[in-house]
Amino acid sequence: PPLPPSPSQACKAMAIARKYLHEEPDDKGGPVEIVIKPTFEGDIRQSSNVSYELHRAAEIIEREPSEDDLTVKDKTDCFKLAGAIAGRVRDGEDVSITTKGPVPVLVTTKAIALAQEYVAEEGLSLSFTVQFRDLEDPSLRGSPVSTFVQFIIVREA
């Protein structure tokens, strides 16, 4: 069955909102940053019913794409991706994930929710912020520039 597009559409909407919040000053004269926590209803293996809880962050989160970013495709295993996210967070590394399309966005969102569970025992909490990035497809050399969704993982102690 086709995947419902709502998680992908929600992430795109949050990326657009984030862009506007960065451009428009708040009542204190500065930009506003948001961080997002995903929560799934039911079994995460079967569910695409996700709720996003948005909060205002203390500071603007900047992260340029790099070769160290994780890349997610349709067939990426969300449990392996969650382990990679949790491992990098535990090692104190920056974590960023580049995706394109509704299935990879859902896989990424599930992986972030799972990674939250993996690091919770250590007193850590994860959220993310999301933005659009115009990039060449990292899996295709010499590919034309295309718009990707970049998830930036935010570690909170």
Side-chain angles (χ1 to χ4, degrees):
L3 176 71
S6 54
S8 180
Q9 290 173 345
C11 285
K12 290 177 186 177
M14 290 182 287
I16 292 167
R18 180 176 183 256
K19 181 178 183 265
Y20 284 119
L21 289 169
H22 280 207
E23 293 171 353
E24 295 293 322
D26 65 0
D27 56 351
K28 297 176 186 151
V32 174
E33 181 66 270
I34 56 172
V35 292
I36 306 147
K37 285 189 179 275
T39 305
F40 281 83
E41 298 174 22
D43 182 9
I44 200 165
R45 292 176 195 267
Q46 306 298 323
S47 180
S48 62
N49 289 339
V50 61
S51 298
Y52 296 99
E53 187 178 310
L54 282 67
H55 296 277
R56 184 176 184 155
E59 58 189 32
I60 298 297
I61 299 160
E62 300 281 347
R63 175 105 161 76
E64 291 298 319
S66 80
E67 291 180 3
D68 294 331
D69 290 354
L70 299 169
T71 303
V72 176
K73 302 285 185 187
D74 287 12
K75 304 248 186 237
T76 300
D77 182 315
C78 65
F79 292 92
K80 290 180 182 177
L81 179 60
I85 293 168
R88 288 184 180 198
V89 166
R90 287 181 187 116
D91 291 343
E93 297 177 31
D94 288 335
V95 184
S96 186
I97 304 157
T98 305
T99 67
K100 183 173 184 167
V103 173
V105 166
L106 179 61
V107 169
T108 301
T109 305
K110 285 183 175 189
I112 294 168
L114 288 165
Q116 287 178 147
E117 294 176 17
Y118 296 171
V119 300
E121 296 173 1
E122 296 149 51
L124 299 174
S125 177
L126 300 181
S127 58
F128 70 92
T129 195
V130 64
Q131 62 190 357
F132 293 116
R133 288 295 187 175
D134 291 330
L135 304 167
E136 289 182 10
D137 188 333
S139 64
L140 301 171
R141 291 196 186 269
S143 67
V145 172
S146 185
T147 301
F148 288 79
V149 178
Q150 182 186 29
F151 291 79
I152 303 165
I153 305 300
V154 180
R155 175 185 170 168
E156 302 161 355

